Amino acid sequence: MANAITIESVSKTYQRDKMSVPVLNNVSLEIPEGEFIALMGPSGSGKTTLLNLIAGIDRPTKGRILVGGTDISTLSETSLAKWRSSKVGFIFQFYNLIPVLTAFENVELPLTLTKLTKAERKRQVELALQVVGLSDRMNHYPKQLSGGQEQRVAIARAIASDPSIIVADEPTGDLDKKSADEIMTLLTRLNKEFHKTIVMVTHDPSAADRATLVRHLEKGDLLG
Amino acid sequence: MKIFKIIFKNAFRHKLRVFLTIVGISIAVMAFGLLRTVVTAWNAGVEASSANRLVVRQAVSFIFPLPYADREQIAKIPGVEVVSPFMWFGGVYLDKKNFFARMACDPETVFDVYPEYLVDQSVKETFKKERNSCIIGEALAKQFNLKLGDVMNIDGDIYPGKWQFTVRGIYKPRDKTVDATQMLFDWKYVDERMKQDSPERAGMIGWYSVRIKDPAQSATISERIDALFKNSRAETKTETERAFQQGFVASSGAIITAMNVMAFVIIGIIMLVLGNTMIMSARERTREYAVLKTLGFQGGHLIAFIAGESLIISLMGGLLGLGILFPFVAAFEAFMPKGFFPVFNIENTTIIIAASSALAVGFAASIFPIQRALKTSIVNGLRHIG
Ligand SMILES: Nc1ncnc2c1ncn2[C@@H]1O[C@H](COP(=O)(O)OP(=O)(O)OP(=O)(O)O)[C@@H](O)[C@H]1O
Ligand SMILES: [Mg+2]
């Protein structure tokens, strides 16, 4: 199978008060299409940084990142924004829903950037909310939902534009065991039934068990 | 879902904060409008004055009289068309509070010099013939419910005694800047009584209004008039009506300047109020903006979100402010002594300045937050706690 994501000798250094802080050291990784990979490692080891580079919201200091054949490290800011909106779905630890928008509107948000008509958008949103099992909560605001439900709305938002890759940064980090299990079941379904390539950062071994591939980071080095 | 809907929902996220901001802006806009209205009312006399009219007054002060005999000499100067005498009469009508101009004038020439007071020809004829007739402004007639044929009793103070005038005409102002609260009557009627009661005060008038042919000649003619009476008992000072009015207004000039400055200081305050609200809102949303960027929204979208929100708030404040300005100005006018400001209305320019200031402030207040939102990288925005 073709690689969905190819990371070639990527290093990342942050500048902090004139000091350079190396965060990733010469990391190389290939993720085949349809894989569900879990990135684990201690706090500060660079997991989020690596995920952000794959998702195109940060740029490597050195090296190349190819996603679906595109070298995203060379794209302009504008092309990168367009690329993200069509190719990558994002799931965050703290859901990051917009509080003044309903569940429906939150899921619709990324679709407002597409050429879809209102009716087409409505169909997509309803479908996505159906997949995450929240068809009956469309008009609820985030604060009227439980954490698990909020994360499911976030997942619906991530899949609404039908991206091929989903990145998730500790998606169960803020949830109780039962909700966490539901979220993991959902992600597994997205991987198995909808053939999404998923890159997930997690501290939770039981979450990592659901992945098809687990890799560890340690102080900016990819182990194994 | 349109972008506008998001902007609107964002604007009303913190209901109390936005409510207070809008009320703050509207009070400021109202205060701005009120100050400007008072200032323009004050200046209305100057603006209404005409460039082809000169005012000849006693050199020392306009409270000292001039001889009626000067009139013919002034009339002989080339370029002078009409010379019309006026005299401030004072007196009390019904109650000391009633403050309006009561002036003795020359019925033969007054409307030639002041064509902005519109009356019928028949009224002018009656005014010339009937000694104790008077003509009053439309606004004055309305205020005291006076009709043609009514008698107005004035208690004299500068010119003591009981005076009775019959209303024979009501003039209409040619436009809004013309004072429609004056009372005009025949100088000869007053002078005849003076001849009997205190002859030493007879034959005197307050000032002359002189209509000239060519406004460009005003300086030359003024000099020639003043030269006529040089070294006489009553030296004159001649200036254009505009300068005369400005002299009148200048005595209160410092206050007017202060009010004008205040009006614009208020705009600065609105900016700070709104700027503060916008900066707080944008700071709280640092992470949200990062999420929006992550989802593919770009700089232009964020500018629209932030500027749009700021504009909605400033426009609502501006509209509300203008909405309460009208009743406020009406209340203010009612509170002032009647006729204190003969012309008191909210000018279109005031409304336009207020509305466009609100708009400009809306834009200005969003500059900082926009700059910040654009500058913050996605990664740092997502790491933001708040
Ligand atoms: N934008 C940034 N500016 C400066 N330093 C940064 C930035 N982002 C991350 N770092 C630093 O890089 C290192 C790795 O951070 P990263 O967030 O990738 O760790 P992580 O493995 O996701 O940790 P955690 O499990 O706590 O989320 C940390 O030392 C962090 O302080
Ligand atoms: Mg992390």
Side-chain angles (χ1 to χ4, degrees):
Chain A
M1 256 224 236
N3 281 338
I5 301 159
T6 308
I7 298 165
E8 289 177 1
S9 332
V10 160
S11 296
K12 176 74 188 177
T13 310
Y14 282 115
Q15 279 315 120
R16 199 188 288 155
D17 309 326
K18 289 181 190 147
M19 284 219 324
S20 17
V21 184
V23 178
L24 293 174
N25 313 315
N26 209 23
V27 170
S28 292
L29 175 66
E30 297 192 344
I31 305 172
E33 256 175 38
E35 206 74 51
F36 181 173
I37 180 172
L39 290 173
M40 297 190 74
S43 188
S45 57
K47 306 181 295 295
T48 298
T49 305
L50 183 58
L51 194 73
N52 289 344
L53 291 174
I54 293 170
I57 56 178
D58 202 356
R59 289 174 186 276
T61 318
K62 265 215 290 271
R64 289 209 309 164
I65 297 174
L66 293 135
V67 182
T70 313
D71 183 354
I72 60 166
S73 31
T74 62
L75 292 181
S76 73
E77 224 33 70
T78 311
S79 330
L80 198 56
K82 290 213 175 89
W83 175 83
R84 278 198 304 272
S85 68
S86 63
K87 295 285 193 295
V88 187
F90 290 85
I91 301 168
F92 307 92
Q93 178 178 355
F94 298 109
Y95 333 129
N96 281 339
L97 300 175
I98 308 295
V100 288
L101 301 181
T102 62
F104 183 96
E105 291 164 342
N106 265 291
V107 178
E108 193 188 14
L109 195 58
L111 297 180
T112 55
L113 293 169
T114 64
K115 290 200 175 71
L116 297 182
T117 65
K118 197 175 173 186
E120 287 167 335
R121 290 206 303 265
K122 186 164 184 285
R123 232 198 74 235
Q124 293 274 93
V125 173
E126 284 172 354
L127 203 67
L129 282 168
Q130 204 182 321
V131 169
V132 301
L134 284 178
S135 299
D136 54 339
R137 297 292 157 93
M138 284 201 289
N139 297 317
H140 285 53
Y141 286 92
K143 64 169 181 287
Q144 300 168 319
L145 299 170
S146 72
Q149 287 171 330
E150 276 195 76
Q151 193 60 300
R152 276 145 68 189
V153 174
I155 292 173
R157 179 177 68 186
I159 61 174
S161 53
D162 199 22
S164 44
I165 295 168
I166 289 174
V167 297
D169 196 350
E170 302 188 37
T172 59
D174 202 43
L175 297 174
D176 59 63
K177 178 92 180 74
K178 185 167 164 292
S179 304
D181 279 346
E182 285 169 9
I183 295 299
M184 287 318 300
T185 306
L186 196 50
L187 287 179
T188 311
R189 260 188 79 201
L190 293 180
N191 177 240
K192 294 261 144 41
E193 287 176 36
F194 298 85
H195 310 292
K196 306 290 182 201
T197 305
I198 301 179
V199 185
M200 174 182 73
V201 166
T202 188
H203 281 291
D204 176 5
S206 70
D209 282 349
R210 306 284 197 106
T212 55
L213 190 66
V214 181
R215 298 296 299 265
H216 290 268
L217 270 169
E218 191 93 52
K219 290 185 183 150
D221 294 317
L222 197 61
L223 305 181
Chain B
M1 185 174 47
K2 290 274 152 55
I3 279 198
F4 186 75
K5 188 173 171 188
I6 301 175
I7 294 174
F8 209 77
K9 284 188 157 196
N10 267 335
F12 292 93
R13 194 180 283 207
H14 289 281
K15 299 219 166 47
L16 181 62
R17 184 200 292 172
V18 168
F19 172 77
L20 291 176
T21 306
I22 289 177
V23 168
I25 293 172
S26 62
I27 290 173
V29 165
M30 188 277 293
F32 173 83
L34 184 60
L35 281 173
R36 294 276 315 166
T37 301
V38 170
V39 171
T40 47
W42 219 294
N43 286 330
V46 178
E47 266 154 44
S49 61
S50 159
N52 69 352
R53 280 196 296 249
L54 301 180
V55 175
V56 184
R57 62 164 171 96
Q58 221 270 1
V60 178
S61 164
F62 66 86
I63 60 170
F64 294 121
L66 289 173
Y68 183 76
D70 291 355
R71 184 179 184 183
E72 258 178 71
Q73 282 175 271
I74 297 171
K76 280 189 202 131
I77 292 174
V80 169
E81 291 185 328
V82 188
V83 183
S84 194
F86 288 87
M87 187 169 78
W88 184 261
F89 184 79
V92 175
Y93 177 63
L94 300 179
D95 190 306
K96 273 202 181 108
K97 290 204 310 279
N98 298 327
F99 190 97
F100 58 88
R102 290 170 277 266
M103 282 194 294
C105 65
D106 171 29
E108 300 285 340
T109 54
V110 59
F111 296 109
D112 297 334
V113 183
Y114 287 93
E116 58 263 51
Y117 303 152
L118 307 175
V119 282
D120 290 344
Q121 191 56 38
S122 62
V123 170
K124 289 182 191 168
E125 294 308 321
T126 316
F127 192 37
K128 287 176 194 169
K129 282 187 211 117
E130 208 178 305
R131 263 302 135 83
N132 64 342
S133 65
C134 70
I135 293 182
I136 58 176
E138 191 179 51
L140 189 63
K142 198 166 160 226
Q143 187 189 334
F144 294 103
N145 194 22
L146 291 163
K147 294 174 296 297
L148 295 180
D150 284 355
V151 171
M152 294 176 76
N153 290 300
I154 308 278
D155 271 333
D157 40 28
I158 310 175
Y159 302 93
K162 300 255 177 252
W163 302 81
Q164 283 197 330
F165 301 95
T166 313
V167 179
R168 289 299 180 210
I170 294 173
Y171 74 83
K172 287 193 194 316
R174 190 177 52 199
D175 57 60
K176 275 189 163 182
T177 61
V178 176
D179 181 359
T181 67
Q182 308 199 58
M183 177 187 186
L184 300 167
F185 43 82
D186 195 339
W187 173 79
K188 288 190 288 296
Y189 179 54
V190 180
D191 196 54
E192 276 158 13
R193 174 109 54 111
M194 284 293 112
K195 272 182 190 142
Q196 290 173 9
D197 296 355
S198 36
E200 74 287 355
R201 291 181 64 193
M204 301 302 275
I205 61 100
W207 68 91
Y208 291 105
S209 275
V210 177
R211 196 179 83 198
I212 57 175
K213 206 170 184 171
D214 176 9
Q217 292 267 287
S218 60
T220 330
I221 296 177
S222 298
E223 275 169 29
R224 294 192 62 175
I225 294 173
D226 292 343
L228 272 182
F229 306 108
K230 193 104 194 137
N231 301 324
S232 77
R233 227 158 27 94
E235 291 192 358
T236 60
K237 177 169 176 189
T238 305
E239 50 198 357
T240 60
E241 187 176 78
R242 187 156 296 178
F244 179 69
Q245 291 281 7
Q246 268 161 351
F248 222 73
V249 171
S251 52
S252 35
I255 296 172
I256 292 298
T257 310
M259 285 170 93
N260 241 335
V261 169
M262 271 308 294
F264 287 93
V265 165
I266 284 172
I267 290 180
I269 294 173
I270 314 179
M271 182 122 100
L272 294 179
V273 168
L274 182 59
N276 184 47
T277 299
M278 285 311 298
I279 286 171
M280 282 208 288
S281 301
R283 181 177 290 271
E284 286 166 2
R285 289 181 212 154
T286 305
R287 185 199 272 261
E288 262 171 55
Y289 293 141
V291 171
L292 288 173
K293 284 197 222 169
T294 302
L295 296 179
F297 287 86
Q298 298 187 28
H301 295 110
L302 295 193
I303 292 173
F305 284 144
I306 300 170
E309 181 174 345
S310 184
L311 280 177
I312 286 184
I313 297 173
S314 66
L315 283 184
M316 289 189 71
L319 284 180
L320 185 64
L322 288 176
I324 54 176
L325 175 62
F326 286 85
F328 228 89
V329 163
F332 184 83
E333 194 181 8
F335 187 75
M336 296 299 289
K338 273 278 169 234
F340 189 84
F341 291 117
V343 181
F344 197 72
N345 35 52
I346 302 165
E347 284 202 318
N348 287 339
T349 3
T350 299
I351 295 174
I352 292 166
I353 296 179
S356 44
S357 301
L359 210 73
V361 163
F363 272 115
S366 63
I367 290 174
F368 247 141
I370 285 176
Q371 199 198 13
R372 198 181 124 92
L374 294 183
K375 206 179 63 194
T376 308
S377 71
I378 296 181
V379 174
N380 282 330
L382 288 175
R383 285 161 61 92
H384 183 90
I385 320 279

